[in-house]
PDB file of all heavy atoms in Angstrom:
ATOM      1  N   GLY A  47     149.998 -13.606 -42.590  1.00 94.00           N
ATOM      2  CA  GLY A  47     149.172 -12.479 -42.424  1.00 94.00           C
ATOM      3  C   GLY A  47     148.015 -12.338 -43.226  1.00 94.00           C
ATOM      4  O   GLY A  47     147.208 -11.452 -42.968  1.00 94.00           O
ATOM      5  N   ASN A  48     147.884 -13.144 -44.191  1.00 95.00           N
ATOM      6  CA  ASN A  48     146.687 -13.156 -45.122  1.00 95.00           C
ATOM      7  C   ASN A  48     145.662 -14.251 -44.663  1.00 95.00           C
ATOM      8  O   ASN A  48     144.667 -14.278 -45.208  1.00 95.00           O
ATOM      9  CB  ASN A  48     147.051 -13.447 -46.501  1.00 95.00           C
ATOM     10  CG  ASN A  48     147.885 -12.327 -47.146  1.00 95.00           C
ATOM     11  OD1 ASN A  48     147.900 -11.256 -46.659  1.00 95.00           O
ATOM     12  ND2 ASN A  48     148.484 -12.582 -48.281  1.00 95.00           N
ATOM     13  N   ASP A  49     146.016 -15.038 -43.644  1.00 96.00           N
ATOM     14  CA  ASP A  49     145.230 -16.125 -43.161  1.00 96.00           C
ATOM     15  C   ASP A  49     144.014 -15.534 -42.425  1.00 96.00           C
ATOM     16  O   ASP A  49     144.265 -15.030 -41.390  1.00 96.00           O
ATOM     17  CB  ASP A  49     145.930 -17.194 -42.550  1.00 96.00           C
ATOM     18  CG  ASP A  49     145.209 -18.409 -42.220  1.00 96.00           C
ATOM     19  OD1 ASP A  49     144.020 -18.205 -41.663  1.00 96.00           O
ATOM     20  OD2 ASP A  49     145.608 -19.493 -42.583  1.00 96.00           O
ATOM     21  N   PRO A  50     142.780 -15.696 -42.800  1.00 96.00           N
ATOM     22  CA  PRO A  50     141.710 -15.174 -41.932  1.00 96.00           C
ATOM     23  C   PRO A  50     141.600 -15.726 -40.534  1.00 96.00           C
ATOM     24  O   PRO A  50     141.218 -15.016 -39.695  1.00 96.00           O
ATOM     25  CB  PRO A  50     140.395 -15.528 -42.933  1.00 96.00           C
ATOM     26  CG  PRO A  50     140.762 -16.549 -43.698  1.00 96.00           C
ATOM     27  CD  PRO A  50     142.272 -16.356 -44.031  1.00 96.00           C
ATOM     28  N   ASP A  51     141.998 -17.052 -40.394  1.00 96.00           N
ATOM     29  CA  ASP A  51     141.825 -17.583 -39.100  1.00 96.00           C
ATOM     30  C   ASP A  51     142.921 -16.983 -38.193  1.00 96.00           C
ATOM     31  O   ASP A  51     142.722 -16.808 -37.012  1.00 96.00           O
ATOM     32  CB  ASP A  51     142.089 -19.119 -39.167  1.00 96.00           C
ATOM     33  CG  ASP A  51     140.906 -19.871 -39.773  1.00 96.00           C
ATOM     34  OD1 ASP A  51     139.769 -19.312 -39.668  1.00 96.00           O
ATOM     35  OD2 ASP A  51     141.214 -20.920 -40.372  1.00 96.00           O
ATOM     36  N   VAL A  52     144.161 -16.822 -38.695  1.00 96.00           N
ATOM     37  CA  VAL A  52     145.143 -16.072 -37.910  1.00 96.00           C
ATOM     38  C   VAL A  52     144.734 -14.686 -37.540  1.00 96.00           C
ATOM     39  O   VAL A  52     144.798 -14.237 -36.428  1.00 96.00           O
ATOM     40  CB  VAL A  52     146.486 -16.070 -38.717  1.00 96.00           C
ATOM     41  CG1 VAL A  52     147.559 -15.133 -38.051  1.00 96.00           C
ATOM     42  CG2 VAL A  52     147.031 -17.515 -38.893  1.00 96.00           C
ATOM     43  N   MET A  53     144.222 -13.920 -38.599  1.00 96.00           N
ATOM     44  CA  MET A  53     143.827 -12.592 -38.271  1.00 96.00           C
ATOM     45  C   MET A  53     142.567 -12.589 -37.294  1.00 96.00           C
ATOM     46  O   MET A  53     142.497 -11.667 -36.396  1.00 96.00           O
ATOM     47  CB  MET A  53     143.324 -11.805 -39.509  1.00 96.00           C
ATOM     48  CG  MET A  53     144.496 -11.686 -40.479  1.00 96.00           C
ATOM     49  SD  MET A  53     146.107 -10.928 -39.771  1.00 96.00           S
ATOM     50  CE  MET A  53     145.586  -9.232 -39.578  1.00 96.00           C
ATOM     51  N   ARG A  54     141.629 -13.564 -37.359  1.00 96.00           N
ATOM     52  CA  ARG A  54     140.544 -13.549 -36.310  1.00 96.00           C
ATOM     53  C   ARG A  54     141.159 -13.714 -34.923  1.00 96.00           C
ATOM     54  O   ARG A  54     140.822 -13.093 -33.904  1.00 96.00           O
ATOM     55  CB  ARG A  54     139.524 -14.693 -36.694  1.00 96.00           C
ATOM     56  CG  ARG A  54     138.581 -14.363 -37.685  1.00 96.00           C
ATOM     57  CD  ARG A  54     137.688 -15.648 -37.897  1.00 96.00           C
ATOM     58  NE  ARG A  54     137.013 -15.602 -39.155  1.00 96.00           N
ATOM     59  CZ  ARG A  54     137.300 -16.223 -40.310  1.00 96.00           C
ATOM     60  NH1 ARG A  54     138.393 -17.072 -40.270  1.00 96.00           N
ATOM     61  NH2 ARG A  54     136.590 -16.038 -41.376  1.00 96.00           N
ATOM     62  N   TRP A  55     142.165 -14.549 -34.876  1.00 96.00           N
ATOM     63  CA  TRP A  55     142.791 -14.883 -33.657  1.00 96.00           C
ATOM     64  C   TRP A  55     143.503 -13.789 -32.999  1.00 96.00           C
ATOM     65  O   TRP A  55     143.376 -13.447 -31.853  1.00 96.00           O
ATOM     66  CB  TRP A  55     143.673 -16.215 -33.652  1.00 96.00           C
ATOM     67  CG  TRP A  55     144.261 -16.613 -32.461  1.00 96.00           C
ATOM     68  CD1 TRP A  55     143.615 -17.166 -31.346  1.00 96.00           C
ATOM     69  CD2 TRP A  55     145.718 -16.606 -32.171  1.00 96.00           C
ATOM     70  NE1 TRP A  55     144.545 -17.420 -30.371  1.00 96.00           N
ATOM     71  CE2 TRP A  55     145.833 -17.029 -30.899  1.00 96.00           C
ATOM     72  CE3 TRP A  55     146.868 -16.066 -32.962  1.00 96.00           C
ATOM     73  CZ2 TRP A  55     147.121 -17.080 -30.240  1.00 96.00           C
ATOM     74  CZ3 TRP A  55     147.948 -16.209 -32.302  1.00 96.00           C
ATOM     75  CH2 TRP A  55     148.173 -16.653 -30.963  1.00 96.00           C
ATOM     76  N   LEU A  56     144.345 -13.153 -33.858  1.00 95.00           N
ATOM     77  CA  LEU A  56     145.140 -11.985 -33.452  1.00 95.00           C
ATOM     78  C   LEU A  56     144.151 -10.850 -33.105  1.00 95.00           C
ATOM     79  O   LEU A  56     144.388 -10.177 -32.114  1.00 95.00           O
ATOM     80  CB  LEU A  56     146.066 -11.538 -34.530  1.00 95.00           C
ATOM     81  CG  LEU A  56     147.300 -12.527 -34.630  1.00 95.00           C
ATOM     82  CD1 LEU A  56     148.086 -12.104 -35.864  1.00 95.00           C
ATOM     83  CD2 LEU A  56     148.166 -12.626 -33.480  1.00 95.00           C
ATOM     84  N   ALA A  57     143.030 -10.596 -33.840  1.00 93.00           N
ATOM     85  CA  ALA A  57     142.148  -9.547 -33.506  1.00 93.00           C
ATOM     86  C   ALA A  57     141.514  -9.791 -32.152  1.00 93.00           C
ATOM     87  O   ALA A  57     141.247  -8.877 -31.414  1.00 93.00           O
ATOM     88  CB  ALA A  57     141.157  -9.379 -34.617  1.00 93.00           C
ATOM     89  N   GLY A  58     141.210 -11.178 -31.957  1.00 92.00           N
ATOM     90  CA  GLY A  58     140.518 -11.490 -30.582  1.00 92.00           C
ATOM     91  C   GLY A  58     141.466 -11.186 -29.480  1.00 92.00           C
ATOM     92  O   GLY A  58     141.070 -10.690 -28.428  1.00 92.00           O
ATOM     93  N   LEU A  59     142.803 -11.533 -29.738  1.00 91.00           N
ATOM     94  CA  LEU A  59     143.744 -11.215 -28.652  1.00 91.00           C
ATOM     95  C   LEU A  59     143.868  -9.627 -28.428  1.00 91.00           C
ATOM     96  O   LEU A  59     143.885  -9.219 -27.270  1.00 91.00           O
ATOM     97  CB  LEU A  59     145.204 -11.813 -29.038  1.00 91.00           C
ATOM     98  CG  LEU A  59     145.422 -13.273 -28.964  1.00 91.00           C
ATOM     99  CD1 LEU A  59     146.753 -13.602 -29.503  1.00 91.00           C
ATOM    100  CD2 LEU A  59     145.181 -13.787 -27.589  1.00 91.00           C
ATOM    101  N   ALA A  60     143.946  -9.023 -29.480  1.00 88.00           N
ATOM    102  CA  ALA A  60     143.937  -7.420 -29.448  1.00 88.00           C
ATOM    103  C   ALA A  60     142.715  -7.045 -28.673  1.00 88.00           C
ATOM    104  O   ALA A  60     142.884  -6.092 -27.915  1.00 88.00           O
ATOM    105  CB  ALA A  60     144.121  -6.916 -30.792  1.00 88.00           C
ATOM    106  N   ASN A  61     141.595  -7.510 -28.930  1.00 84.00           N
ATOM    107  CA  ASN A  61     140.334  -7.006 -28.355  1.00 84.00           C
ATOM    108  C   ASN A  61     140.328  -7.409 -26.876  1.00 84.00           C
ATOM    109  O   ASN A  61     139.801  -6.618 -26.086  1.00 84.00           O
ATOM    110  CB  ASN A  61     139.172  -7.770 -29.072  1.00 84.00           C
ATOM    111  CG  ASN A  61     137.897  -6.953 -28.772  1.00 84.00           C
ATOM    112  OD1 ASN A  61     137.844  -5.922 -28.633  1.00 84.00           O
ATOM    113  ND2 ASN A  61     136.835  -7.909 -28.661  1.00 84.00           N
ATOM    114  N   GLU A  62     140.987  -8.512 -26.453  1.00 84.00           N
ATOM    115  CA  GLU A  62     141.034  -8.902 -25.155  1.00 84.00           C
ATOM    116  C   GLU A  62     141.946  -7.890 -24.383  1.00 84.00           C
ATOM    117  O   GLU A  62     141.692  -7.511 -23.202  1.00 84.00           O
ATOM    118  CB  GLU A  62     141.609 -10.221 -24.907  1.00 84.00           C
ATOM    119  CG  GLU A  62     140.692 -11.418 -25.211  1.00 84.00           C
ATOM    120  CD  GLU A  62     139.381 -11.378 -24.200  1.00 84.00           C
ATOM    121  OE1 GLU A  62     139.773 -11.265 -22.935  1.00 84.00           O
ATOM    122  OE2 GLU A  62     138.441 -11.527 -24.666  1.00 84.00           O
ATOM    123  N   ARG A  63     143.002  -7.471 -25.047  1.00 82.00           N
ATOM    124  CA  ARG A  63     143.986  -6.440 -24.512  1.00 82.00           C
ATOM    125  C   ARG A  63     143.366  -5.113 -24.463  1.00 82.00           C
ATOM    126  O   ARG A  63     143.599  -4.255 -23.412  1.00 82.00           O
ATOM    127  CB  ARG A  63     145.201  -6.485 -25.266  1.00 82.00           C
ATOM    128  CG  ARG A  63     146.254  -5.564 -24.870  1.00 82.00           C
ATOM    129  CD  ARG A  63     147.534  -5.821 -25.772  1.00 82.00           C
ATOM    130  NE  ARG A  63     148.523  -4.716 -25.318  1.00 82.00           N
ATOM    131  CZ  ARG A  63     149.339  -4.301 -26.161  1.00 82.00           C
ATOM    132  NH1 ARG A  63     149.218  -4.522 -27.427  1.00 82.00           N
ATOM    133  NH2 ARG A  63     150.204  -3.272 -25.795  1.00 82.00           N
ATOM    134  N   ASN A  64     142.534  -4.761 -25.511  1.00 79.00           N
ATOM    135  CA  ASN A  64     141.955  -3.468 -25.427  1.00 79.00           C
ATOM    136  C   ASN A  64     140.446  -3.663 -26.037  1.00 79.00           C
ATOM    137  O   ASN A  64     140.199  -3.534 -27.093  1.00 79.00           O
ATOM    138  CB  ASN A  64     142.624  -2.444 -26.316  1.00 79.00           C
ATOM    139  CG  ASN A  64     141.952  -1.121 -26.396  1.00 79.00           C
ATOM    140  OD1 ASN A  64     141.061  -0.699 -25.786  1.00 79.00           O
ATOM    141  ND2 ASN A  64     142.509  -0.266 -27.290  1.00 79.00           N
ATOM    142  N   PRO A  65     139.484  -3.848 -25.109  1.00 78.00           N
ATOM    143  CA  PRO A  65     138.110  -4.254 -25.576  1.00 78.00           C
ATOM    144  C   PRO A  65     137.461  -3.050 -26.454  1.00 78.00           C
ATOM    145  O   PRO A  65     136.701  -3.232 -27.140  1.00 78.00           O
ATOM    146  CB  PRO A  65     137.360  -4.511 -24.246  1.00 78.00           C
ATOM    147  CG  PRO A  65     138.419  -4.800 -23.281  1.00 78.00           C
ATOM    148  CD  PRO A  65     139.627  -4.050 -23.719  1.00 78.00           C
ATOM    149  N   MET A  66     137.924  -1.900 -26.224  1.00 74.00           N
ATOM    150  CA  MET A  66     137.338  -0.742 -26.936  1.00 74.00           C
ATOM    151  C   MET A  66     137.807  -0.669 -28.393  1.00 74.00           C
ATOM    152  O   MET A  66     137.134  -0.088 -29.201  1.00 74.00           O
ATOM    153  CB  MET A  66     137.699   0.554 -26.314  1.00 74.00           C
ATOM    154  CG  MET A  66     137.187   0.620 -24.782  1.00 74.00           C
ATOM    155  SD  MET A  66     135.489   0.413 -24.617  1.00 74.00           S
ATOM    156  CE  MET A  66     134.743   1.660 -25.576  1.00 74.00           C
ATOM    157  N   MET A  67     138.875  -1.388 -28.804  1.00 72.00           N
ATOM    158  CA  MET A  67     139.391  -1.280 -30.121  1.00 72.00           C
ATOM    159  C   MET A  67     138.422  -1.657 -31.086  1.00 72.00           C
ATOM    160  O   MET A  67     138.400  -1.083 -32.321  1.00 72.00           O
ATOM    161  CB  MET A  67     140.677  -2.040 -30.287  1.00 72.00           C
ATOM    162  CG  MET A  67     140.470  -3.541 -30.321  1.00 72.00           C
ATOM    163  SD  MET A  67     141.660  -4.238 -31.481  1.00 72.00           S
ATOM    164  CE  MET A  67     140.679  -5.329 -32.334  1.00 72.00           C
ATOM    165  N   SER A  68     137.456  -2.558 -30.950  1.00 66.00           N
ATOM    166  CA  SER A  68     136.569  -3.117 -31.992  1.00 66.00           C
ATOM    167  C   SER A  68     135.224  -2.208 -32.126  1.00 66.00           C
ATOM    168  O   SER A  68     134.509  -2.439 -33.043  1.00 66.00           O
ATOM    169  CB  SER A  68     136.398  -4.518 -31.831  1.00 66.00           C
ATOM    170  OG  SER A  68     135.529  -4.688 -30.695  1.00 66.00           O
ATOM    171  N   VAL A  69     135.209  -1.338 -31.090  1.00 68.00           N
ATOM    172  CA  VAL A  69     133.885  -0.541 -31.158  1.00 68.00           C
ATOM    173  C   VAL A  69     134.096   0.910 -31.262  1.00 68.00           C
ATOM    174  O   VAL A  69     133.092   1.652 -31.566  1.00 68.00           O
ATOM    175  CB  VAL A  69     133.010  -0.916 -30.041  1.00 68.00           C
ATOM    176  CG1 VAL A  69     132.471  -2.322 -30.028  1.00 68.00           C
ATOM    177  CG2 VAL A  69     133.786  -0.631 -28.719  1.00 68.00           C
ATOM    178  N   VAL A  70     135.252   1.419 -31.112  1.00 67.00           N
ATOM    179  CA  VAL A  70     135.604   2.856 -31.146  1.00 67.00           C
ATOM    180  C   VAL A  70     136.707   3.111 -32.036  1.00 67.00           C
ATOM    181  O   VAL A  70     137.666   2.464 -31.949  1.00 67.00           O
ATOM    182  CB  VAL A  70     135.812   3.496 -29.708  1.00 67.00           C
ATOM    183  CG1 VAL A  70     136.214   4.952 -29.802  1.00 67.00           C
ATOM    184  CG2 VAL A  70     134.679   3.149 -28.763  1.00 67.00           C
ATOM    185  N   GLU A  71     136.478   4.172 -32.918  1.00 63.00           N
ATOM    186  CA  GLU A  71     137.402   4.402 -33.867  1.00 63.00           C
ATOM    187  C   GLU A  71     138.988   4.646 -33.377  1.00 63.00           C
ATOM    188  O   GLU A  71     139.960   4.136 -33.824  1.00 63.00           O
ATOM    189  CB  GLU A  71     137.277   5.829 -34.670  1.00 63.00           C
ATOM    190  CG  GLU A  71     136.148   5.602 -35.907  1.00 63.00           C
ATOM    191  CD  GLU A  71     136.580   4.606 -36.867  1.00 63.00           C
ATOM    192  OE1 GLU A  71     137.773   4.506 -37.235  1.00 63.00           O
ATOM    193  OE2 GLU A  71     135.816   3.858 -37.299  1.00 63.00           O
ATOM    194  N   ASP A  72     139.046   5.481 -32.305  1.00 57.00           N
ATOM    195  CA  ASP A  72     140.427   5.770 -31.794  1.00 57.00           C
ATOM    196  C   ASP A  72     140.463   5.304 -30.328  1.00 57.00           C
ATOM    197  O   ASP A  72     140.688   6.083 -29.445  1.00 57.00           O
ATOM    198  CB  ASP A  72     140.744   7.263 -31.881  1.00 57.00           C
ATOM    199  CG  ASP A  72     142.168   7.581 -31.637  1.00 57.00           C
ATOM    200  OD1 ASP A  72     142.925   6.573 -31.632  1.00 57.00           O
ATOM    201  OD2 ASP A  72     142.460   8.726 -31.469  1.00 57.00           O
ATOM    202  N   ALA A  73     140.242   3.996 -30.138  1.00 51.00           N
ATOM    203  CA  ALA A  73     140.198   3.456 -28.720  1.00 51.00           C
ATOM    204  C   ALA A  73     141.640   3.581 -28.030  1.00 51.00           C
ATOM    205  O   ALA A  73     141.545   3.673 -26.868  1.00 51.00           O
ATOM    206  CB  ALA A  73     140.035   1.962 -28.822  1.00 51.00           C
ATOM    207  N   GLY A  74     142.702   3.650 -28.639  1.00 52.00           N
ATOM    208  CA  GLY A  74     144.140   3.875 -28.059  1.00 52.00           C
ATOM    209  C   GLY A  74     144.039   5.099 -27.322  1.00 52.00           C
ATOM    210  O   GLY A  74     144.520   5.228 -26.246  1.00 52.00           O
ATOM    211  N   ALA A  75     143.632   6.171 -28.072  1.00 49.00           N
ATOM    212  CA  ALA A  75     143.857   7.467 -27.376  1.00 49.00           C
ATOM    213  C   ALA A  75     142.766   7.770 -26.292  1.00 49.00           C
ATOM    214  O   ALA A  75     143.010   8.404 -25.364  1.00 49.00           O
ATOM    215  CB  ALA A  75     143.642   8.513 -28.521  1.00 49.00           C
ATOM    216  N   GLY A  76     141.378   7.240 -26.438  1.00 54.00           N
ATOM    217  CA  GLY A  76     140.508   7.654 -25.475  1.00 54.00           C
ATOM    218  C   GLY A  76     139.945   6.529 -24.639  1.00 54.00           C
ATOM    219  O   GLY A  76     139.451   6.791 -23.675  1.00 54.00           O
ATOM    220  N   GLY A  77     140.186   5.300 -25.131  1.00 70.00           N
ATOM    221  CA  GLY A  77     139.761   4.151 -24.338  1.00 70.00           C
ATOM    222  C   GLY A  77     138.420   4.240 -23.874  1.00 70.00           C
ATOM    223  O   GLY A  77     137.427   4.391 -24.607  1.00 70.00           O
ATOM    224  N   VAL A  78     138.200   3.884 -22.586  1.00 74.00           N
ATOM    225  CA  VAL A  78     136.797   3.818 -22.085  1.00 74.00           C
ATOM    226  C   VAL A  78     136.096   5.233 -22.237  1.00 74.00           C
ATOM    227  O   VAL A  78     134.902   5.281 -22.549  1.00 74.00           O
ATOM    228  CB  VAL A  78     136.694   3.494 -20.533  1.00 74.00           C
ATOM    229  CG1 VAL A  78     135.235   3.651 -19.935  1.00 74.00           C
ATOM    230  CG2 VAL A  78     137.318   1.990 -20.485  1.00 74.00           C
ATOM    231  N   ALA A  79     136.775   6.327 -22.086  1.00 78.00           N
ATOM    232  CA  ALA A  79     136.138   7.646 -22.269  1.00 78.00           C
ATOM    233  C   ALA A  79     135.567   7.794 -23.550  1.00 78.00           C
ATOM    234  O   ALA A  79     134.598   8.320 -23.737  1.00 78.00           O
ATOM    235  CB  ALA A  79     137.031   8.743 -21.935  1.00 78.00           C
ATOM    236  N   ALA A  80     136.339   7.348 -24.666  1.00 78.00           N
ATOM    237  CA  ALA A  80     135.916   7.450 -26.044  1.00 78.00           C
ATOM    238  C   ALA A  80     134.634   6.611 -26.201  1.00 78.00           C
ATOM    239  O   ALA A  80     133.667   6.913 -26.911  1.00 78.00           O
ATOM    240  CB  ALA A  80     137.008   6.911 -26.971  1.00 78.00           C
ATOM    241  N   GLY A  81     134.566   5.394 -25.539  1.00 80.00           N
ATOM    242  CA  GLY A  81     133.482   4.514 -25.725  1.00 80.00           C
ATOM    243  C   GLY A  81     132.262   5.188 -24.918  1.00 80.00           C
ATOM    244  O   GLY A  81     131.126   5.071 -25.622  1.00 80.00           O
ATOM    245  N   GLU A  82     132.381   5.859 -23.833  1.00 85.00           N
ATOM    246  CA  GLU A  82     131.278   6.398 -23.070  1.00 85.00           C
ATOM    247  C   GLU A  82     130.680   7.605 -23.879  1.00 85.00           C
ATOM    248  O   GLU A  82     129.517   7.892 -24.014  1.00 85.00           O
ATOM    249  CB  GLU A  82     131.801   6.752 -21.678  1.00 85.00           C
ATOM    250  CG  GLU A  82     132.027   5.602 -20.849  1.00 85.00           C
ATOM    251  CD  GLU A  82     132.571   5.848 -19.507  1.00 85.00           C
ATOM    252  OE1 GLU A  82     133.182   6.914 -19.379  1.00 85.00           O
ATOM    253  OE2 GLU A  82     132.370   5.013 -18.513  1.00 85.00           O
ATOM    254  N   THR A  83     131.733   8.359 -24.544  1.00 85.00           N
ATOM    255  CA  THR A  83     131.332   9.452 -25.362  1.00 85.00           C
ATOM    256  C   THR A  83     130.354   8.944 -26.499  1.00 85.00           C
ATOM    257  O   THR A  83     129.281   9.647 -26.847  1.00 85.00           O
ATOM    258  CB  THR A  83     132.460  10.187 -25.954  1.00 85.00           C
ATOM    259  OG1 THR A  83     133.223  10.798 -24.724  1.00 85.00           O
ATOM    260  CG2 THR A  83     132.016  11.371 -26.828  1.00 85.00           C
ATOM    261  N   ARG A  84     130.874   7.898 -27.277  1.00 84.00           N
ATOM    262  CA  ARG A  84     130.166   7.381 -28.332  1.00 84.00           C
ATOM    263  C   ARG A  84     128.775   6.879 -27.895  1.00 84.00           C
ATOM    264  O   ARG A  84     127.653   7.013 -28.543  1.00 84.00           O
ATOM    265  CB  ARG A  84     130.978   6.236 -28.898  1.00 84.00           C
ATOM    266  CG  ARG A  84     130.195   5.617 -30.210  1.00 84.00           C
ATOM    267  CD  ARG A  84     129.943   6.561 -31.339  1.00 84.00           C
ATOM    268  NE  ARG A  84     129.281   5.716 -32.391  1.00 84.00           N
ATOM    269  CZ  ARG A  84     128.389   6.366 -33.157  1.00 84.00           C
ATOM    270  NH1 ARG A  84     128.123   7.658 -33.097  1.00 84.00           N
ATOM    271  NH2 ARG A  84     127.766   5.721 -34.168  1.00 84.00           N
ATOM    272  N   LEU A  85     128.692   6.176 -26.686  1.00 89.00           N
ATOM    273  CA  LEU A  85     127.464   5.746 -26.134  1.00 89.00           C
ATOM    274  C   LEU A  85     126.428   6.819 -25.919  1.00 89.00           C
ATOM    275  O   LEU A  85     125.327   6.692 -26.223  1.00 89.00           O
ATOM    276  CB  LEU A  85     127.733   4.950 -24.802  1.00 89.00           C
ATOM    277  CG  LEU A  85     126.575   4.029 -24.187  1.00 89.00           C
ATOM    278  CD1 LEU A  85     126.035   3.086 -25.250  1.00 89.00           C
ATOM    279  CD2 LEU A  85     127.024   3.253 -23.031  1.00 89.00           C
ATOM    280  N   ARG A  86     126.993   7.924 -25.282  1.00 91.00           N
ATOM    281  CA  ARG A  86     126.011   9.085 -25.094  1.00 91.00           C
ATOM    282  C   ARG A  86     125.605   9.601 -26.484  1.00 91.00           C
ATOM    283  O   ARG A  86     124.410   9.960 -26.561  1.00 91.00           O
ATOM    284  CB  ARG A  86     126.896  10.261 -24.339  1.00 91.00           C
ATOM    285  CG  ARG A  86     126.970  10.059 -22.865  1.00 91.00           C
ATOM    286  CD  ARG A  86     127.394  11.195 -22.123  1.00 91.00           C
ATOM    287  NE  ARG A  86     128.837  11.675 -22.508  1.00 91.00           N
ATOM    288  CZ  ARG A  86     130.001  11.237 -22.195  1.00 91.00           C
ATOM    289  NH1 ARG A  86     129.870  10.296 -21.174  1.00 91.00           N
ATOM    290  NH2 ARG A  86     131.131  11.667 -22.570  1.00 91.00           N
TER     291      ARG A  86
END
């Protein structure tokens, strides 16, 4: 869990599963709507 390569890989998998997670604070709750709000 301290290995940066492992964390990069896991974060990449998480980002594939939920692309909004790396760009919006609460992507789980709002998803695309939260992203569109932030974009506006």
Side-chain angles (χ1 to χ4, degrees):
N48 292 345
D49 188 306
D51 290 333
V52 170
M53 295 310 288
R54 280 184 197 100
W55 181 68
L56 289 172
L59 290 176
N61 195 35
E62 284 296 315
R63 184 174 170 212
N64 179 3
M66 298 306 299
M67 72 144 227
S68 68
V69 291
V70 180
E71 279 301 322
D72 195 10
V78 173
E82 289 173 337
T83 298
R84 178 66 181 147
L85 190 57
R86 278 193 301 278

